[in-house]
Amino acid sequence: MIKAGIIGGAGYTAGELIRILINHPQVELVFVNSTSNAGNKLTDVHGGLLGETDMSFTDQLPYNTIDVLFFCTAHGDTKKFLEANTVPSDLKIIDLSTDYRKESSEHDFVYGLPELNKEQIKRAKHIANPGCFATAIQLALLPLAKDQVLTEVHVNAITGSTGAGVKPGATSHFSWRENNISVYKAFEHQHLAEIRQSLTHLQNNFTEDINFIPVRGNFTRGIFASIYLKYDGSVEDAEKLYQEFYKDSPFVIVTDKNPDLKQVVNTNKCVLHVEKHGNKLLILSCIDNLVKGASGQAIHNMNLMFGLNEKEGLGLKASAF
Amino acid sequence: MIKAGIIGGAGYTAGELIRILINHPQVELVFVNSTSNAGNKLTDVHGGLLGETDMSFTDQLPYNTIDVLFFCTAHGDTKKFLEANTVPSDLKIIDLSTDYRKESSEHDFVYGLPELNKEQIKRAKHIANPGCFATAIQLALLPLAKDQVLTEVHVNAITGSTGAGVKPGATSHFSWRENNISVYKAFEHQHLAEIRQSLTHLQNNFTEDINFIPVRGNFTRGIFASIYLKYDGSVEDAEKLYQEFYKDSPFVIVTDKNPDLKQVVNTNKCVLHVEKHGNKLLILSCIDNLVKGASGQAIHNMNLMFGLNEKEGLGLKASAF
Amino acid sequence: MIKAGIIGGAGYTAGELIRILINHPQVELVFVNSTSNAGNKLTDVHGGLLGETDMSFTDQLPYNTIDVLFFCTAHGDTKKFLEANTVPSDLKIIDLSTDYRKESSEHDFVYGLPELNKEQIKRAKHIANPGCFATAIQLALLPLAKDQVLTEVHVNAITGSTGAGVKPGATSHFSWRENNISVYKAFEHQHLAEIRQSLTHLQNNFTEDINFIPVRGNFTRGIFASIYLKYDGSVEDAEKLYQEFYKDSPFVIVTDKNPDLKQVVNTNKCVLHVEKHGNKLLILSCIDNLVKGASGQAIHNMNLMFGLNEKEGLGLKASAF
Amino acid sequence: MIKAGIIGGAGYTAGELIRILINHPQVELVFVNSTSNAGNKLTDVHGGLLGETDMSFTDQLPYNTIDVLFFCTAHGDTKKFLEANTVPSDLKIIDLSTDYRKESSEHDFVYGLPELNKEQIKRAKHIANPGCFATAIQLALLPLAKDQVLTEVHVNAITGSTGAGVKPGATSHFSWRENNISVYKAFEHQHLAEIRQSLTHLQNNFTEDINFIPVRGNFTRGIFASIYLKYDGSVEDAEKLYQEFYKDSPFVIVTDKNPDLKQVVNTNKCVLHVEKHGNKLLILSCIDNLVKGASGQAIHNMNLMFGLNEKEGLGLKASAF
């Protein structure tokens, strides 16, 4: 059994991580650290766990009891923590924050997108888990980058409210958000950096714009990205490209049917669909932002790091309705 | 033109009041007071007013410029304000808070439920505007109380999120509330006091329980109350009773069709429907909590106090979908 | 009083038209024709009208009792009707279907977008009322076309379910659509024709692509369009352009704040907002698809045709929440 | 491996059954029969299965290849089928329809509520799977019936749209149901029969009314029931009663915290909570109508019939948000 600990256990990604790990046949969840909730039961914060665990949050960090430590900390806090604390050198770390996604000679975190970096992940000690938008958009574009055919990219992606975290605010107030649509950080979302980093690894000369409009949707879970760009090939060419690129990626499904978001909600899948219109290739990409876009992907990375079947514990039922 | 001012202009009921008054043909909105937003445009807080007004919030209270002052203050704050400040003795006041709903020899506020107190309202200087649940439930029960046939009452009423106000919190967080249902203050909701006060005015000997389960719904506007009690008469008797009681109440519609909430959303209507099952009478009652349950009713009261047609400014289009 | 009749009275746009006309101070609704519902009360089909009318649907068409006839017929059916029937030559017609939106020497329908064709509309006898997406997108682009600066356009627009009509189907089933997102008719939506027609009237040489991704949203009312294109000017230039173009258009509001859809839901407004990012101009455009995108715009056209104040009857309260 | 077949594979309960069985470690799904969809892929109808199966619907019924046959047929159709067809006498049958829930000397179906009939289910060949409302309400009342303290019962239960099935209709149209609330079959819901049947098994003398108001909610999954009745004991008495009754029922959780619906959505759990107010005991009961109220419970029954761990395959992650 792999023994796991979590730091920052009160947020949405931690809740999702716990809900999945609790049913993972090869994992024992040893502790969930939360300074704000130390002493409280997990179920006080994550009500969906009722009947599944009696564990309480702890303010302790017994590193020696675990094999892997998940950071579900706020952006910036993982780095601060690791600079201020000494963790055992052989402890595996999976960081769900943005802190180590940018490659640098100053750290050894591997960017944990299994469809791009599976072999490095298997050998990695430290993983920087990708962002949710970044996951949906990269999976839609990687095959084209590999084929050196990326041109200026047009992305509109709508996200569920859980992407904005548990802290209440004006744009997560139910009375405002219900039945509402709005745009934020147009052309300037912070995930663009990691997207471009991955794409240029595959297509070195790619320098054109990635025009990205993030949209706040009136639903809780999921990202639905509509992406298009100029493309000379046929739709059959594109489908073949995508099928080939993802032939060893069990969570990416390339479908020839027009997809909808709820096909992936509550699962670790990414569903992709391509269409050709005039000289444009349209790619639709759907994920669950909390699963494939965060905690499910973190567990996928853990499975790879520990040599498990990569689907272990991730056979999650789609909510579908 | 009636000149109106508002205190406590940043909340939901104030927003609704402004949105309706702006189009009221006989009202000029002179000022909207808000300490927290003084200097900001109304449209900064109430975006639905874009294109309709350039007015800004003020921290001033120029009583001499107005004929009527609406209090959209938090519960408790109207009383504090009136105890600490001297308002002109001839200024009409309509208080949307709970502070003066309980009758008392210590104040002269008339309980502003037009279907019960129309004549007193016409002569009143001070109005205590009813609560939202209280409006939906009283309108469902008044005809029975008038007929002296009230027995133990069973109420389940589901409300939209706007009932909980603009301040964000755990149960108004979109990620939690969307597609969720929960119960709060079962059997103990504060509106029970004003409901019982009105009912016993009509049926003095009524002392039995009003069992009231308030439910948080995953929608923003509206209250749908399902109410039943033992009743000896036929459904025809009941319909006649209700039609008679509300024959001079233009906003109460007694329908023989099974109603749905959206028939009244965004309007000042209350739709009532009665059915007989065994020895029970079922009454369904629907209102918009922000309109008939708050700001629309306040304007209805204003219309009565100033001798206007009571429907003036309240011909609001149902959103319907 | 203008006397109005409606053909095709059972659908969503007819319902909305009736709900607005009922409160229009200068209109008397004389008949609502519906073959499928003849004899039924309007309130049987349009429950939101409860308490406002006792009128029943008719299968008669007493042209001589009316001044204006609204067609809320299915696409194709207005043309069939007018080819098969003779209506009085002086009867004004406003057609909400797509049948006469394409200009042609074979008909005299004026394209009823008041912000583009106000003077022609005032003199017109026959109006082809614009499509909902077409309204939101044209209003976002007309100022640029007037300024001859249109380049390739990128549009993503999400629409409420009422856009798909009252007939139930797989993609309007609540269990499927709730919390779901999907794309349809990408790059090929039928409204592209009328959009291009209007734009090329203003900028004759515009031939570049309008890339349009229509999205099905999980809400009932409204269209939120995100549009961008290359633009050399500054954001101030663009704002000035839009303010100037719409200075006589009371329903179009250009705001410098990031808008959200519910600001316009249940109103006849179009809210526009522009931002500059790199060399791209982003335009956000929001309307209510049933009001500004259909029935409200039809009434706006009626007001113009009959010489009324163009805002008459259209001071609709935003639902806001 | 248990080999399973399904009849009536195109509906919601069949979809849910397939989605769970696909990941059940001890089941092989051998065929899914559907006359209307024979030849189509399962994923054409149940999109949430993408990437999990390539199976197609069949119009064949190879009984000899399976150990258990699930009927996901419309109410009435299981009985018609079994009267018209001969199935092998040793084939286990689990019927999700209402056809055999009423006990009778004319059939040998056991009522498949594991918390009531676990031992009979283990020995049964034929199971009548309970209704969704019936499950939520019975689980809330069984401990009281066992204790002989049932009195007149007051139930209000709100259900998701999936309870009404896949066939589109007026009350499942998104434009109507979104943000809407309505009541149906008040006091007369068909599940009352099976509820009373179970309760009187435990408390023979119970003859008082079960007043049940079913409510249509604007969400897709789940049932939230608020139930109260006169009760002489303390809340501690009640909690002890419930804890004791469900001590061997792994899917029923009695919590001392106020529950919300999403704690159980997408799981096979029933969460119960009791409160005492005056002389009334309030019981809140939440289930997922498609899982614990249908397909999950069917699999629970299968597990019991085949001697498996009763939780096998049912460790489903709550969607939570």
Side-chain angles (χ1 to χ4, degrees):
Chain A
M1 294 292 269
I2 299 164
K3 304 204 165 161
I6 297 175
I7 293 191
Y12 286 160
T13 55
E16 196 71 7
L17 195 58
I18 299 167
R19 285 188 292 271
I20 304 176
L21 288 178
I22 283 274
N23 288 310
H24 193 297
Q26 312 237 26
V27 174
E28 180 191 345
L29 181 61
V30 176
F31 69 80
V32 182
N33 179 287
S34 166
T35 45
S36 59
N37 278 287
N40 293 336
K41 296 219 164 219
L42 297 192
T43 51
D44 292 346
V45 172
H46 305 298
L49 290 167
L50 267 181
E52 303 188 50
T53 178
D54 284 325
M55 191 182 290
S56 294
F57 292 101
T58 177
D59 56 4
Q60 301 296 299
L61 284 165
Y63 300 125
N64 62 331
T65 64
I66 56 170
D67 305 306
V68 58
L69 181 59
F70 292 92
F71 280 82
C72 294
T73 33
H75 298 310
D77 286 356
T78 306
K79 200 166 184 190
K80 274 187 219 153
F81 181 93
L82 290 177
E83 286 168 358
N85 294 272
T86 304
V87 303
S89 64
D90 60 342
L91 181 63
K92 289 187 165 62
I93 290 176
I94 299 174
D95 177 26
L96 280 79
S97 86
T98 197
D99 293 6
Y100 295 97
R101 291 184 198 151
K102 187 176 190 311
E103 295 162 8
S104 158
S105 58
E106 293 172 18
H107 70 73
D108 66 349
F109 280 73
V110 169
Y111 187 67
L113 189 67
E115 291 78 8
L116 180 65
N117 292 332
K118 193 183 287 190
E119 294 311 313
Q120 297 98 300
I121 293 166
K122 286 180 180 172
R123 298 186 304 267
K125 201 168 66 180
H126 296 156
I127 293 289
N129 211 55
C132 52
F133 274 131
T135 299
I137 296 169
Q138 285 175 83
L139 293 177
L141 294 174
L142 289 175
L144 299 170
K146 174 105 183 291
D147 211 39
Q148 313 297 315
V149 295
L150 274 188
T151 57
E152 182 177 11
V153 177
H154 303 278
V155 184
N156 184 295
I158 186 165
T159 182
S161 60
T162 49
V166 69
K167 200 175 157 191
T171 58
S172 63
H173 196 301
F174 184 86
S175 300
W176 183 83
R177 187 146 182 164
E178 171 69 350
N179 277 5
N180 211 355
I181 294 288
S182 58
V183 156
Y184 68 113
K185 300 184 184 174
F187 295 94
E188 294 168 6
H189 195 279
Q190 65 273 15
H191 288 180
L192 283 167
E194 58 187 282
I195 294 168
R196 186 170 289 281
Q197 174 177 272
S198 294
L199 295 177
T200 49
H201 273 307
L202 297 183
Q203 182 175 337
N204 302 325
N205 66 347
F206 176 65
T207 57
E208 296 193 67
D209 283 350
I210 303 171
N211 303 286
F212 172 27
I213 314 283
V215 180
R216 291 187 194 95
N218 59 321
F219 50 89
T220 54
R221 278 178 174 264
I223 287 177
F224 188 103
S226 312
I227 302 174
Y228 61 88
L229 73 180
K230 282 194 187 142
Y231 178 72
D232 288 337
S234 66
V235 67
E236 291 78 14
D237 294 337
E239 280 176 354
K240 200 190 292 180
L241 204 62
Y242 279 72
Q243 295 286 9
E244 173 65 20
F245 190 91
Y246 291 116
K247 69 180 190 301
D248 297 324
S249 296
F251 293 112
V252 180
I253 297 109
V254 184
T255 176
D256 58 359
K257 296 238 158 47
N258 188 25
D260 63 89
L261 181 58
K262 288 204 289 193
Q263 291 178 328
V264 301
V265 167
N266 227 19
T267 78
N268 198 49
K269 299 180 199 172
C270 174
V271 166
L272 296 173
H273 171 67
V274 294
E275 295 180 4
K276 189 84 192 285
H277 297 276
N279 64 350
K280 303 278 177 14
L281 183 72
L282 172 69
I283 311 120
L284 303 177
S285 174
C286 320
I287 64 166
D288 184 308
N289 59 308
L290 287 182
V291 188
K292 179 61 178 163
S295 305
Q297 186 151 250
I299 292 166
H300 188 182
N301 280 313
M302 182 198 72
N303 287 345
L304 291 169
M305 294 165 90
F306 286 89
L308 307 181
N309 178 330
E310 59 186 309
K311 297 177 74 171
E312 196 78 57
L314 292 169
L316 303 167
K317 187 184 79 61
S319 55
F321 297 108
Chain B
M1 295 290 271
I2 300 164
K3 304 204 166 163
I6 297 174
I7 293 191
Y12 286 161
T13 56
E16 196 71 5
L17 195 59
I18 299 167
R19 284 188 292 271
I20 304 176
L21 289 177
I22 283 273
N23 288 310
H24 192 297
Q26 312 236 28
V27 174
E28 180 190 346
L29 181 61
V30 176
F31 69 81
V32 182
N33 179 286
S34 166
T35 44
S36 58
N37 279 285
N40 294 336
K41 297 218 163 220
L42 298 192
T43 50
D44 292 347
V45 172
H46 306 297
L49 290 167
L50 266 181
E52 301 189 50
T53 178
D54 285 325
M55 190 182 289
S56 294
F57 292 101
T58 177
D59 56 4
Q60 301 296 300
L61 284 165
Y63 300 124
N64 62 333
T65 64
I66 56 170
D67 305 306
V68 59
L69 181 59
F70 292 92
F71 280 82
C72 293
T73 32
H75 299 311
D77 286 356
T78 306
K79 200 164 183 190
K80 274 187 220 154
F81 181 93
L82 290 177
E83 287 169 358
N85 294 272
T86 305
V87 302
S89 64
D90 61 342
L91 181 61
K92 289 186 166 61
I93 290 176
I94 299 174
D95 177 25
L96 280 78
S97 87
T98 197
D99 293 6
Y100 295 96
R101 292 184 197 152
K102 188 176 190 311
E103 295 162 9
S104 158
S105 59
E106 293 173 19
H107 70 72
D108 67 349
F109 281 72
V110 170
Y111 187 67
L113 188 67
E115 291 77 8
L116 180 67
N117 293 330
K118 193 183 287 190
E119 294 310 314
Q120 298 97 300
I121 292 166
K122 285 181 181 172
R123 297 186 304 267
K125 201 168 68 181
H126 297 156
I127 293 289
N129 211 55
C132 52
F133 274 130
T135 299
I137 295 169
Q138 285 175 84
L139 293 177
L141 294 174
L142 290 175
L144 299 171
K146 174 106 183 291
D147 211 39
Q148 314 298 313
V149 294
L150 273 188
T151 56
E152 182 177 9
V153 178
H154 303 278
V155 185
N156 184 294
I158 185 166
T159 182
S161 60
T162 50
V166 68
K167 199 175 157 191
T171 59
S172 62
H173 196 302
F174 184 86
S175 299
W176 183 84
R177 187 147 183 163
E178 171 69 350
N179 277 5
N180 211 356
I181 295 288
S182 57
V183 156
Y184 68 112
K185 299 183 182 173
F187 295 92
E188 294 169 4
H189 195 279
Q190 64 273 15
H191 288 181
L192 283 167
E194 58 187 281
I195 294 168
R196 186 171 289 280
Q197 174 177 272
S198 294
L199 295 177
T200 49
H201 273 306
L202 297 182
Q203 181 176 336
N204 301 325
N205 67 348
F206 176 66
T207 56
E208 295 192 66
D209 283 350
I210 303 172
N211 303 286
F212 173 27
I213 313 282
V215 180
R216 291 186 194 96
N218 59 322
F219 50 89
T220 54
R221 279 179 175 265
I223 287 176
F224 189 103
S226 312
I227 302 173
Y228 62 87
L229 73 181
K230 282 194 188 140
Y231 178 72
D232 287 338
S234 67
V235 68
E236 292 78 15
D237 294 337
E239 279 176 354
K240 200 191 291 180
L241 204 63
Y242 280 72
Q243 294 286 7
E244 174 66 20
F245 190 92
Y246 291 116
K247 69 179 191 301
D248 298 323
S249 296
F251 294 111
V252 180
I253 297 110
V254 183
T255 176
D256 58 359
K257 297 239 158 46
N258 187 25
D260 62 89
L261 181 58
K262 288 203 290 192
Q263 291 178 328
V264 302
V265 168
N266 227 19
T267 79
N268 198 49
K269 299 179 197 173
C270 174
V271 166
L272 295 174
H273 171 68
V274 294
E275 295 180 4
K276 189 84 191 285
H277 296 277
N279 63 350
K280 304 278 177 11
L281 184 72
L282 171 70
I283 311 119
L284 303 178
S285 174
C286 322
I287 64 165
D288 184 309
N289 59 309
L290 287 182
V291 187
K292 179 61 178 164
S295 306
Q297 186 151 252
I299 291 166
H300 188 182
N301 280 314
M302 181 198 73
N303 287 345
L304 291 169
M305 294 164 89
F306 287 89
L308 307 182
N309 178 329
E310 58 186 311
K311 297 177 73 171
E312 197 78 56
L314 292 170
L316 303 168
K317 187 185 78 60
S319 56
F321 296 108
Chain C
M1 294 293 269
I2 300 163
K3 304 205 165 159
I6 297 174
I7 293 191
Y12 286 161
T13 56
E16 196 71 6
L17 195 59
I18 299 166
R19 284 188 293 271
I20 304 176
L21 288 177
I22 284 273
N23 288 309
H24 192 296
Q26 312 236 27
V27 174
E28 181 190 346
L29 182 61
V30 176
F31 69 80
V32 181
N33 178 286
S34 166
T35 44
S36 58
N37 278 286
N40 294 336
K41 297 221 164 218
L42 297 192
T43 51
D44 292 346
V45 172
H46 306 297
L49 290 167
L50 266 181
E52 303 188 48
T53 178
D54 284 326
M55 191 183 288
S56 293
F57 293 100
T58 177
D59 58 3
Q60 302 296 300
L61 285 164
Y63 301 123
N64 62 334
T65 64
I66 56 169
D67 305 305
V68 59
L69 181 58
F70 292 92
F71 280 83
C72 294
T73 31
H75 299 309
D77 285 356
T78 305
K79 198 164 186 193
K80 274 187 219 151
F81 182 93
L82 290 176
E83 287 169 358
N85 295 273
T86 305
V87 302
S89 64
D90 61 344
L91 181 61
K92 288 186 166 60
I93 289 175
I94 299 174
D95 177 26
L96 279 79
S97 87
T98 198
D99 293 7
Y100 295 98
R101 293 186 197 149
K102 187 176 191 308
E103 294 162 8
S104 157
S105 58
E106 291 172 20
H107 70 73
D108 66 350
F109 281 72
V110 170
Y111 187 67
L113 188 67
E115 291 78 8
L116 179 67
N117 293 331
K118 194 183 285 188
E119 294 311 313
Q120 298 96 304
I121 292 166
K122 286 180 180 172
R123 299 187 302 267
K125 202 169 66 181
H126 296 156
I127 293 288
N129 211 54
C132 52
F133 275 131
T135 298
I137 296 169
Q138 285 176 83
L139 293 177
L141 294 174
L142 289 175
L144 299 171
K146 174 104 182 292
D147 209 40
Q148 312 298 314
V149 294
L150 273 188
T151 56
E152 183 177 9
V153 177
H154 303 278
V155 184
N156 184 294
I158 185 164
T159 183
S161 60
T162 50
V166 68
K167 199 175 158 192
T171 59
S172 63
H173 196 300
F174 184 87
S175 300
W176 183 86
R177 187 147 183 165
E178 171 70 348
N179 277 5
N180 211 355
I181 294 289
S182 57
V183 156
Y184 67 113
K185 299 184 183 173
F187 296 92
E188 294 169 4
H189 195 279
Q190 65 273 15
H191 287 180
L192 282 166
E194 58 186 282
I195 294 168
R196 186 171 288 280
Q197 175 177 272
S198 294
L199 294 177
T200 50
H201 273 305
L202 297 182
Q203 181 176 337
N204 301 327
N205 67 348
F206 176 66
T207 56
E208 296 192 65
D209 283 351
I210 303 171
N211 302 286
F212 173 27
I213 314 284
V215 180
R216 291 186 194 95
N218 59 321
F219 50 89
T220 54
R221 277 179 175 265
I223 287 176
F224 188 103
S226 312
I227 302 174
Y228 61 88
L229 73 179
K230 282 195 188 140
Y231 178 71
D232 287 337
S234 65
V235 69
E236 292 79 14
D237 294 338
E239 280 176 354
K240 200 190 291 179
L241 205 64
Y242 280 73
Q243 294 287 8
E244 174 65 21
F245 190 92
Y246 291 116
K247 68 179 192 298
D248 298 322
S249 295
F251 293 111
V252 180
I253 297 110
V254 183
T255 176
D256 58 0
K257 296 238 159 45
N258 187 24
D260 61 89
L261 181 58
K262 287 203 291 193
Q263 291 178 328
V264 302
V265 167
N266 227 20
T267 79
N268 198 48
K269 299 179 198 173
C270 174
V271 166
L272 295 174
H273 171 68
V274 294
E275 295 180 5
K276 188 82 193 285
H277 296 276
N279 65 350
K280 304 278 176 14
L281 185 73
L282 172 70
I283 311 117
L284 303 178
S285 174
C286 321
I287 64 166
D288 184 308
N289 60 307
L290 287 181
V291 188
K292 179 62 179 164
S295 305
Q297 186 152 251
I299 290 167
H300 188 181
N301 280 314
M302 181 198 75
N303 287 345
L304 291 169
M305 294 164 90
F306 285 90
L308 307 182
N309 178 329
E310 59 187 309
K311 296 177 75 171
E312 197 78 57
L314 292 170
L316 303 168
K317 187 184 79 61
S319 55
F321 296 109
Chain D
M1 294 294 270
I2 298 163
K3 305 205 164 162
I6 297 174
I7 293 191
Y12 286 160
T13 55
E16 196 70 5
L17 196 58
I18 299 167
R19 284 188 292 272
I20 304 176
L21 288 178
I22 284 273
N23 287 309
H24 192 296
Q26 312 236 28
V27 174
E28 181 190 346
L29 181 61
V30 175
F31 68 80
V32 181
N33 179 286
S34 166
T35 43
S36 58
N37 277 286
N40 294 336
K41 297 219 163 219
L42 297 192
T43 51
D44 292 346
V45 172
H46 306 298
L49 290 167
L50 266 182
E52 303 188 49
T53 178
D54 285 325
M55 191 183 287
S56 293
F57 292 101
T58 176
D59 57 4
Q60 300 297 299
L61 285 165
Y63 301 122
N64 61 334
T65 64
I66 56 170
D67 305 304
V68 59
L69 181 60
F70 293 92
F71 280 82
C72 295
T73 32
H75 299 309
D77 285 356
T78 306
K79 198 165 185 192
K80 274 188 219 152
F81 181 93
L82 291 176
E83 287 169 358
N85 294 272
T86 305
V87 302
S89 64
D90 61 343
L91 182 62
K92 290 186 165 60
I93 289 176
I94 299 174
D95 177 26
L96 280 78
S97 87
T98 198
D99 293 6
Y100 295 97
R101 292 185 197 152
K102 188 176 190 310
E103 294 162 9
S104 158
S105 59
E106 293 173 19
H107 69 73
D108 66 351
F109 280 72
V110 170
Y111 187 66
L113 188 67
E115 291 78 8
L116 180 66
N117 293 331
K118 195 183 286 189
E119 294 311 313
Q120 299 96 303
I121 292 166
K122 286 180 179 172
R123 298 187 303 267
K125 201 169 67 181
H126 296 155
I127 294 289
N129 211 55
C132 52
F133 275 131
T135 298
I137 296 169
Q138 285 175 85
L139 293 177
L141 294 173
L142 289 176
L144 299 170
K146 174 106 182 292
D147 210 41
Q148 312 298 315
V149 294
L150 272 187
T151 56
E152 182 176 9
V153 178
H154 304 278
V155 185
N156 184 293
I158 185 164
T159 182
S161 60
T162 49
V166 67
K167 199 176 159 191
T171 59
S172 63
H173 196 300
F174 184 86
S175 300
W176 183 84
R177 187 147 184 165
E178 171 69 349
N179 278 3
N180 212 355
I181 295 289
S182 58
V183 155
Y184 69 113
K185 299 184 182 172
F187 295 92
E188 294 168 3
H189 195 280
Q190 64 274 14
H191 288 180
L192 283 166
E194 57 187 283
I195 294 168
R196 186 172 290 281
Q197 173 177 273
S198 294
L199 294 177
T200 50
H201 274 304
L202 297 183
Q203 181 175 336
N204 301 326
N205 67 348
F206 176 66
T207 56
E208 296 192 65
D209 283 350
I210 303 171
N211 302 286
F212 173 27
I213 315 283
V215 180
R216 290 185 194 97
N218 59 320
F219 50 90
T220 53
R221 278 179 175 265
I223 287 176
F224 188 103
S226 312
I227 302 173
Y228 62 87
L229 73 178
K230 281 193 189 142
Y231 178 71
D232 288 337
S234 66
V235 68
E236 291 78 15
D237 294 338
E239 278 175 356
K240 201 190 292 180
L241 205 63
Y242 280 72
Q243 295 286 8
E244 174 66 20
F245 190 91
Y246 291 117
K247 68 178 191 299
D248 297 323
S249 295
F251 294 112
V252 180
I253 297 110
V254 183
T255 176
D256 57 0
K257 295 238 158 46
N258 187 24
D260 61 89
L261 181 57
K262 288 203 290 193
Q263 292 179 328
V264 301
V265 167
N266 228 20
T267 79
N268 198 49
K269 299 179 198 173
C270 174
V271 166
L272 295 174
H273 170 68
V274 294
E275 296 179 5
K276 188 83 193 284
H277 296 276
N279 63 351
K280 304 278 176 14
L281 184 72
L282 172 69
I283 310 118
L284 304 178
S285 174
C286 322
I287 64 165
D288 183 309
N289 60 307
L290 287 182
V291 187
K292 179 61 179 163
S295 306
Q297 187 152 247
I299 290 166
H300 189 181
N301 280 314
M302 181 199 73
N303 287 344
L304 291 169
M305 295 165 89
F306 286 90
L308 306 182
N309 178 329
E310 59 186 309
K311 296 177 76 171
E312 196 78 55
L314 292 170
L316 302 168
K317 187 185 79 60
S319 55
F321 296 109

